[in-house]
Amino acid sequence: MHYIYSAIAILCLTTTAFAKGISLDAVYMDKNSSEYQKLFFARFNNYAQMGAQFIDSDIVYSAWRSGKEIVYIKESGINNTIVVCSIATRKKNPLYTFKGTVISARTSTNGRYIAVKYFTNQKIPHPALFIIDSTNGNVKPFQTLTAGTDFSFSDDGNNFYYKKNNCIVAYRCDSSLEKAFLCSSDAPQWDEICTIIFNSNQLFVSGSSGNYSVYIKQKLWNKIGNAVTPMEIFSDSFAIYYTGGYPGNYTVNRYSVKTQKHETLLQQSLNPCLQVSRNHAIFLKNAFIMMYDSINGKLFTTTVESDEAIISPNGFYVASTIYNRLFIIPYATVVTINPKAGRYLATLQELYRDVVNKKYLHTSPYTRTYIQQKQTAIASLLTLF
């Protein structure tokens, strides 16, 4: 399933790993119960009322290729297929199928290249890494020794960076030339997982097991904080965003490049799933989408639930994965407080009230805590109506 290298952590909220794109109800409740099924169908009915466009199911990764196309990885048993889908026509173009279990993936900013790290389907699985050119389907494999996310793309999307021995190597995608970009002797820190991140600023990330140091390149490398995963570190023209905290109390943090000050945008989230696009940070407060507009400095919440959400490059759409199903929702629909959402939230509150005291439905010692956090979030949103 989605990012299995960290999925175990959220199951118990006692380890330091991190999970993305996971339905928390499926973690904390009996999936075979009628109560779980009622919540399941209530969410899909809400998506239908919003006019959400269904794309596909069994999704383990998704990203925008452009404002008009989305790329995703569809899991079917041991087979994984990389697919490009047109939003306007819903036409699907399968690019490549490989066997194994997806660990993590990244898409270049120009939408041309997709990098995937996965466990091979062998008696003794080992991590493997490749990039694929979405314009022609050409695949380039790379050697990798770890299951961590130690790879990235340059700002223009034409360079691919990956860890090779004691260096981070820059591979030129259009010419296949590569050279050492940063080696351990010149890095401020060097751990099992190291990567360079380019999003308006040059960042260096190093660490392991849910504890990663984040540095920004100025005159020297300047450490700005600690993140729980390299997959949730971004920057725009104004700031650096990263997920911090610990299981049960994850945070979304913002570091201003200009003032060099920190602020916490989100606290006490079970699974923030931070993404940044078009000077907007988008993340989850106990499954409800929240956004931060870095241009106007405004934080606002929505009544839309998701397991992972990403704003399109043109700002017109939000790609939302829920229960491993991918939907496209107009941005305006997500940020608008619809009166019908009040009835939906009231229904959720009633359903969770029914579950909280039925201990036989709980699949974790933290189930009650999870439901209480959901109820608190729903109660806060109900005050908007």
Side-chain angles (χ1 to χ4, degrees), residues 3 61 73 102-107 114-117 149 151 231:
Y3 303 138
Y61 169 79
I73 302 177
V102 174
I103 302 171
S104 58
R106 291 188 191 272
T107 299
I114 301 102
V116 181
K117 182 171 278 194
T149 306
F151 58 93
M231 289 299 295

Side-chain angles (χ1 to χ4, degrees), residues 10-41:
I10 201 73
L11 298 181
C12 61
L13 287 180
T14 57
T15 67
T16 58
F18 191 72
K20 287 177 67 68
I22 291 176
S23 170
L24 296 179
D25 278 2
V27 172
Y28 294 109
M29 294 172 54
D30 179 4
K31 293 189 290 185
N32 296 317
S33 66
S34 62
E35 289 82 357
Y36 176 89
Q37 295 299 321
K38 288 177 182 177
L39 284 162
F40 179 94
F41 287 112

Side-chain angles (χ1 to χ4, degrees), residues 70 123 152 160 270 295 355 357 369:
I70 193 163
K123 184 173 287 188
S152 62
F160 177 67
L270 295 171
I295 296 177
V355 172
N357 293 316
T369 300

